[in-house]
Amino acid sequence: MKLRDLYRTAVSIGIENDPRGKDQVLRDLEARRKDFDSLKEDEKEFFDSETLQNPYTDSRVLYGSGDEEARSILLGIDIEVGELLLCDRLREKGRGIDLVISHHPEGRAYAKLYDVMRIQSDILNRFGVPISIAEDLMEGRIKEVERRLMPVNHTRAVDAARLLNIPFLCLHTPADNMVATYLQRTFEEKKPYNISDVIEILKSIDEYRDGASNGAGPNILIGSKTRKAGKIFVDMTGGTEGSKEIFQSMASSGINTIVAMHLGEEHRKEAEKSHLNVVIAGHISSDNLGLNLLLDGLISESGEALDLLECSGFRRFSRLKAA
């Protein structure tokens, strides 16, 4: 498989599994096309034309023409200069590596991470939060994250990949979409009665069981095992944590339990004020689940095997049936 095809297929799978629904994603892409067409010629120079096909600004080919073969892949949750030097060292030792894939974004994809946070408003609206409230509260948080990213030296890893001539790709939201949709569907099918049932379901999944064996398994952040789970909202996509003011609206919309990758201290305090249960599934475990589901999709759609080398917190668990 060529790098370009792998990238395009991953984005397509992410769209198919977007918690907003594919129709909403396609409407947003069409609106983006209209925005582009309305620009003056001199304004189009700095327009990110990739967003006309890929709605996820945090997922990009960071270095490479796209024509490179992508059969042997070094894949990690975070790929920074250290991991790229590791790749170069492995190549020196004779380990053929065609491509490095990071889950978390680097380069331009990291600089534009804040843009995918708009996804959260539409997801919350599907769970009953009025769109005007969701968008208004998210806008302030998006600006906050944008300001935080402004001073970051986001090109360091990409520069290293260029100097070492290592094709480099990051896939963030497409993978996060996979885990969010998978877990939401799982909870809706299994209907856990109380929070202990939520924990039990999570620990039955390979990635979370592996996390638990490494001391980073699912845990209850707010609530107790005996509390009723009620309506569960899986909060695992859309860049990073949303607005800490949104929890009262979530509770008012009928949400009782949030299952999240992580939750900061200020967010925890606000969720507690709104009497919500919060289960932290685990950040790296959740990233692993999303990546593994995405990889299964890539292999199924392409019909090609991938030689994967695990690093930086990634562990491969396949759900594909052996031929």
Side-chain angles (χ1 to χ4, degrees):
M1 189 189 313
K2 291 194 179 297
L3 169 55
R4 181 183 297 104
D5 296 330
L6 187 154
Y7 165 60
R8 294 292 180 208
T9 303
V11 170
S12 176
I13 293 171
I15 291 172
E16 292 289 341
N17 289 273
D18 195 301
R20 297 172 293 174
K22 184 177 179 180
D23 289 345
Q24 178 65 53
V25 180
L26 295 180
R27 281 197 296 270
D28 287 351
L29 284 172
E30 180 59 28
R32 187 71 171 165
R33 168 64 66 177
K34 289 179 179 178
D35 288 343
F36 175 73
D37 291 341
S38 68
L39 294 175
K40 297 176 182 177
E41 285 305 314
D42 61 329
E43 294 174 322
K44 290 181 179 180
E45 179 184 357
F46 298 104
F47 185 90
D48 184 4
S49 60
E50 188 62 27
T51 60
L52 299 177
Q53 304 174 73
N54 173 8
Y56 312 119
T57 55
D58 60 354
S59 301
R60 287 286 188 275
V61 174
L62 300 170
Y63 175 72
S65 67
D67 292 327
E68 297 87 354
E69 286 297 328
R71 194 175 303 277
S72 181
I73 301 169
L74 181 68
L75 196 156
I77 303 300
D78 296 280
I79 298 292
E80 297 177 343
V81 175
E83 285 76 20
L84 290 163
L85 289 171
L86 170 65
C87 175
D88 189 57
R89 186 76 179 102
L90 289 168
R91 281 176 159 186
E92 287 180 354
K93 285 183 167 289
R95 182 65 158 89
I97 298 174
D98 304 317
L99 170 68
V100 173
I101 297 179
S102 174
H103 172 54
H104 289 144
E106 292 289 338
R108 179 176 187 143
Y110 185 36
K112 299 288 285 184
L113 171 68
Y114 64 87
D115 197 58
V116 297
M117 294 175 67
R118 302 180 197 283
I119 291 173
Q120 298 182 41
S121 299
D122 291 320
I123 297 173
L124 287 165
N125 183 235
R126 288 172 70 92
F127 273 79
V129 176
I131 191 62
S132 57
I133 294 175
E135 287 185 331
D136 187 50
L137 292 177
M138 279 304 304
E139 196 59 40
R141 173 62 173 157
I142 290 169
K143 292 293 185 184
E144 177 187 339
V145 173
E146 182 181 10
R147 290 191 298 271
R148 179 165 58 83
L149 291 173
M150 281 180 180
V152 172
N153 184 359
H154 59 270
T155 65
R156 292 174 64 202
V158 180
D159 288 342
R162 174 177 53 81
L163 290 168
L164 294 168
N165 196 28
I166 300 173
F168 190 15
L169 169 68
C170 64
L171 296 169
H172 192 218
T173 291
D176 285 352
N177 284 353
M178 300 300 289
V179 63
T181 297
Y182 178 85
L183 286 181
Q184 193 69 59
R185 186 183 299 125
T186 297
F187 290 130
E188 288 171 2
E189 289 174 354
K190 296 194 174 182
K191 298 179 173 56
Y193 180 69
N194 53 32
I195 300 301
S196 64
D197 296 328
V198 174
I199 298 291
E200 185 177 333
I201 289 169
L202 288 171
K203 286 185 176 179
S204 72
I205 298 169
D206 287 336
E207 288 82 357
Y208 294 114
R209 188 163 59 248
D210 182 66
S213 69
N214 287 308
N219 66 79
I220 301 168
L221 187 67
I222 302 174
S224 66
K225 290 183 177 181
T226 56
R227 279 196 186 180
K228 295 179 178 62
K231 185 177 180 180
I232 297 173
F233 173 62
V234 176
D235 182 19
M236 293 206 182
T237 194
T240 187
E241 292 172 347
S243 169
K244 62 178 180 291
E245 285 85 30
I246 198 66
F247 297 108
Q248 183 56 54
S249 295
M250 293 172 74
S252 297
S253 72
I255 294 170
N256 307 108
T257 299
I258 298 171
V259 177
M261 287 190 187
H262 49 75
L263 201 69
E265 186 62 15
E266 290 302 313
H267 286 70
R268 183 199 65 78
K269 290 176 182 178
E270 293 303 319
E272 195 168 38
K273 289 178 185 177
S274 297
H275 311 289
L276 290 164
N277 302 310
V278 177
V279 173
I280 299 302
H283 186 182
I284 305 305
S285 299
S286 298
D287 286 344
N288 268 288
L289 176 56
L291 281 172
N292 279 314
L293 292 168
L294 186 60
L295 287 166
D296 286 349
L298 282 166
I299 293 168
S300 295
E301 291 205 16
S302 69
E304 297 185 31
L306 295 174
D307 178 19
L308 299 170
L309 186 60
E310 306 163 333
C311 79
S312 186
F314 174 68
R315 300 290 180 270
R316 176 67 172 142
F317 293 97
S318 175
R319 289 161 178 81
L320 298 174
K321 293 182 180 179

